[in-house]
Amino acid sequence: MADLSINFNGIKSPNPFWLASAPPSNSGYQVQKAFEAGWGGAVWKTVGAPVMNVCNRYGTIDYKGRKIIGLNNVELISDRPLETNLKEMAEAKRNFPNHAVIASIMVESKKEAWQEIIKRTEQTGVDGFELNFGCPHGMSERGMGAAMGQVPEYTCMVTEWVMEVATKPVIVKLTPNVTDIVQPARAAIKANASAISLINTINSIMGVDIDTFEIKPNVGGKGGHGGYAGPAVKPIALNLISAVASDEEYRKAGIPISGMGGIETWQDCVEFMLLGSTSVQVCTAVMHFGFRIVEDLIDGLSNWMDQRNFKNCTDFIGKSLPRISSFGDFDLGFQSVARIDHAKCIQCNLCFIACNDTAHQCIDLKDMKLTSEVTERLWPVVREEDCVGCALCSSVCPVDDCIEMVEIDTGRPHITWNQLIKEKPEVLQWDKMVEYREKNHIHIH
Amino acid sequence: MAEHYKPVKYKAWEMGLEERFQEVFPPLSQREAVLEANRCLYCYDAPCMVACPTHIDIPTFIRKISTGNVTGSARTILEANLMGASCARVCPVQELCEGACVLEHDEKPIMIGRLQRYAMDYADQSKIEFFTKGKSNGMKVAVIGAGPAGLTCAGELSKFGFDVTCYERKVWPGGLSTYGIVVFREPVEVARHEAKKIEDLGVTMKTGHTVGEDIQFEDLFKDNDAVFVSIGLGSVPEMDIPGEDLEGVVDGLFFIEETKTKPLAEIQYGNRICVIGAGNTAIDCATIARRLGSERVTMIYRRSEAEMPAYHFEYQFALGEGVSFSFLTQPVEVLSTNGKVDGLKCVRMDLAEPDESGRRVAVPIPNSEFVVPCDMVIKAIGQLKHTPFIAKLGEYGIKTIKGYIAVDAKTNRTAHEKIFAGGDCIRSRGEASTVMATQDGKIAARAIYEQLTGKPIPEGTLKRTTDMTIDPTMANGCALHDHKPRVHAAATTK
C-alpha cells in the first residue's frame, strides 16, 4: 500500500487530508474526533480577536435536488475564549502527537498583538501556524482577514512580524478576492513564509427569497456578503492554485502549498495535488457529511496511487503543472471533431439542439435506418468538415463515452498564437488574417 | 418518517375495505416530483411527446415541475389534453410515453404518468381557471355521449365560442372514466371533477338524456350546426353457453361500475369467482374481487398467456393481487343448484395454427371437461357496439366499418357533413383508450371549427392536432400497438 504521509515543510502528517480552519475544527472535541476518524491534520478554527456571532450563519445552494453544491457563511473566527482554545489545542496535540495541529491566527494589525499570540500559541505544542489573511466578512470590516490579504504590503508586513518570533512553520492563507493572486503570494514569499494555503472563501450573496425579498442567509431580515465555498468553487480554486504554483518566484522559494476550495472526494484531492498542493484541506464536504468521509479519501487515494505505482505523494504532487499554459502558447493546429457512437446514442438529441442553437450548427438530424422501426426517430450526425471541435455536444450528452472528441490531422500548421504574431504580425489585420487562413486551407464555417 | 417515504406494502388482510380501494400509487410528494422531474433529460423533439396520442409537450411540463412552476406545468398539459387528470392515471404509459423514454433501456424511464398526475392534482387543489368560454360565435354543436372524447370535443369547441350541449344517458358525465375504470386506478371524484371543468367552460351538460328517446335525432340535427357522436361501446356480449342467464353471472363492466357508484360494503360478490376473459377489463374485475374480499379468483381464458390481450403490467398486477389464471380453458356451461351458481364447466384447449389476426386458434381437447367450483361468474369478453343507435345514424348516411362508425382520419367527420364521431365507437382497429378518445375529440373540434367558420384554427389553440400527423398513433383506428387489442376501457374484438 502506498505511503500517504507527507512532510509539509516540517509539519508531518500521516496523510495529506486536513480539516480546514472552519466550524469543523472549532474545538478539541471535534479535532480529536476527526483524528480518530482518520484525518491527518487540522487547522484549528481561527483564534484571535474577541467576536460576537449572528444567526443565521450559513446559506446554501442546491442543484436539481442535490443539496449543497455551494455554501457560504457569515460566521466569524472562534467565539470561544482564547484560553479555552489554547488548552484544547495542547490536549489534542498531546493525545495525537503524530497528527498535524495547526493554529490559525488572526488579530488586529499590530505587531505586538501578532507576536504575543504567536508566542502564546506556540506553547501549546502546535505544529505550525496559518495566518488568516482571507476571511472576507465581519473581520475584514475591522481591518483584519481579507483586508490584510488584499494588500500585498500588509501581507508581507504581518508575515514578517510573525516570522520574527515563530519557531514553527508559518502558512500564509490567501484570499481569492483579489485581481491577481500571484501578488499576495509573492508578498508572503518575500516575508519568508514557510508555506502558502489557498483559497479562502469567495465573496458572495447566496440568493434572494423571491417570496419575502429577503437575502440568503437571512440575519433578522438583513443579509450581506459572506464567504462562498463548496463543490461549486473548485474550478476557481484549481485555477488560483495553479497560478501560484506556476509562478517563477514561488518556484524559486521552494515552499509547499496547502490547497483547498470545494474538495469533496479523493479525486478532487488528486487534482489539487497534481496542480501542486502538498496537503489538501476540506470543510464544506465535512459540514455536509461528517468526518467519516475521510475513510474514502484515504482509501480512494491509496488505491489510485497503487494502481499507478506511486509509492509516495511526492511522486505525483505537481505532476500536471507542466501542462499549465496559456492561450498564446496553445497549438492552433491541434484539431478535434465530435464523433457520435450511434450504438450508444439514446437519441435525446440534446447534442443537436445545443450545437444548432448555441454553437456552430454542424450536427444534423438524419434518418439513418439503423433500427427496424417503421418510423425511426432521427439520429444526430456530425458534419465533420464543419465541426469546430468546441466539445459542447460531448458535454451535454448524457451517455458515457457516446460522443468522443477525436483528434484529426487537417494539415493546419502547428503554430501557437504567440509564434504566429511574431512571425506574421500582419495577421492582426483582418484582411491579412483572412489571407493567412485561405493559404492554409482554414475554413471557418 | 414522512408519509410518502413509507414503503408500499400491500397486505390486504391488514387493511380496511376503504383503504384497499385507495389509488394503488400514492401521489408524489413535492420532493419526489422535483427529483423525478430533474432526472428528465429534456430531450429535443422528445419521443415521449410523439408517443403520446395527444402529443402533450412532456419535456416542457416536466421541466416546469422541476422549476416549481407547477401552474405552468398544468397548463402545458391541459392545452394538449383536457383529460389530463384521467390520462395521468389510466394511460398505458409503459406502452406510450414512458415506453418511448430514451432512459428506458440504460436507466429507467421517467415516471411521466405520475408527474402528470402531480401537476393535475396541483391544478385541482389550487382551483386555477386555466381556460374560459370563448366569445360566442352563435353556432351550436351537440355532443352525444360525455365520455373523454365527447368532453374534450365539447370543451375545445366551447373555448372557441361555440354553444355546446352534451347529451349523456347516464346520471354522471365522464363515460368510462367515471364508470369503467377501477376506483384504485382512478377515483370517481377525479373523473367527475374533470367533467365539471368542462361544464365550467360553458358547456351545457344534459345528463340522464338518451338521444332517440328524450330528444329525437331529427331535432338534434336540425337545431345544431354540427353533431359529435361519442357513444362508446355497450355491454358485454353473450357467451352463448347454458346457464349464462343465472343470477350469479354478471357483466364485468356492471361489476366495475358498482364499485364506482355504490358504497363498497354494499357490493355483492362471490367468495369463489371465475372471471371469463383476459383483457384489461377482466383483470380489473378480478383484482376488484380480490380487494373486495373474494378468496379465490380464477381467470378463465381460452388461449395462452402469450395471446392474452391485457397489458403485461396489468397481468403482473393481477398476479401480485393473488389472482390465479387458468389458460387454455374454455367455459362451456355455468352450473347451478337451486338456481344458484355453483360451478363453471370448462374444457381444456390446445393452440393450433394462427388465424387471420395472427393469433393462434384455440381448439378444444375432446373429453377434457372439468368443473371449477365457484359462486359467481363475471363475463369480461369485450363490449358490444351500440348497433341500433349506429343503424339509426345510418339513416342519415353515415357509413360503418366492422360495425364501428367510419370517419375520415384527418377530421373525424363521418359520411354526413354535419356529423363527426370519435372515441371507442370509431375504434375499428387498434386499442381503444382514454387518450385516443381525447385526441379524437381534439381532431373533431378542430375540423368542426374550420368547417363551420371557414377559417383555420387560431394560432396557439388546440395544440398538436395537425403537426404530427405522420405519427401512426394518431389517425382513426390506427394504434401504436396494433397487435394488441385493448379490452380495458372498451373492447373490440372477440
Side-chain angles (χ1 to χ4, degrees), chain B residues 33-34 37 56-82 84-85 88 111-124 126 128 130-131 463:
Chain B
V34 170
I56 295 172
D57 188 344
I58 295 167
T60 296
F61 98 67
I62 291 179
R63 184 170 179 80
K64 287 178 178 179
I65 290 175
S66 78
T67 67
N69 178 14
V70 192
T71 302
S73 177
R75 175 184 285 276
T76 299
I77 295 162
L78 292 168
E79 277 175 349
N81 185 332
L82 289 172
M111 292 193 278
I112 298 169
R114 291 182 73 190
L115 285 172
Q116 180 167 320
R117 181 173 146 199
Y118 175 80
M120 292 290 91
D121 285 353
Y122 177 90
D124 244 25
S126 49
I128 304 162
F130 286 100
F131 312 107
K463 291 260 170 84

Side-chain angles (χ1 to χ4, degrees), chain B residues 454-482:
Chain B
K455 291 183 293 195
I457 52 167
E459 190 81 16
T461 60
L462 264 177
K463 291 260 170 84
R464 300 195 171 78
T465 47
T466 49
D467 51 356
M468 291 191 181
T469 39
I470 49 157
D471 166 26
T473 62
M474 269 212 38
N476 172 32
C478 275
L480 194 62
H481 299 276
D482 225 24

Side-chain angles (χ1 to χ4, degrees), chain A residues 18 20-21 43-44 46 102-106 114 128-133 169-173 196-198 200 258 260 281:
Chain A
W18 295 355
S21 173
V43 185
W44 210 275
T46 307
I102 295 145
S104 172
I105 309 287
M106 179 200 290
W114 277 96
F129 301 98
E130 187 179 79
L131 310 186
N132 182 341
F133 294 159
V170 175
I171 308 164
V172 173
K173 185 167 178 180
I196 287 170
S197 63
L198 72 167
N200 205 308
S258 184
M260 79 200 88
Q281 299 185 29

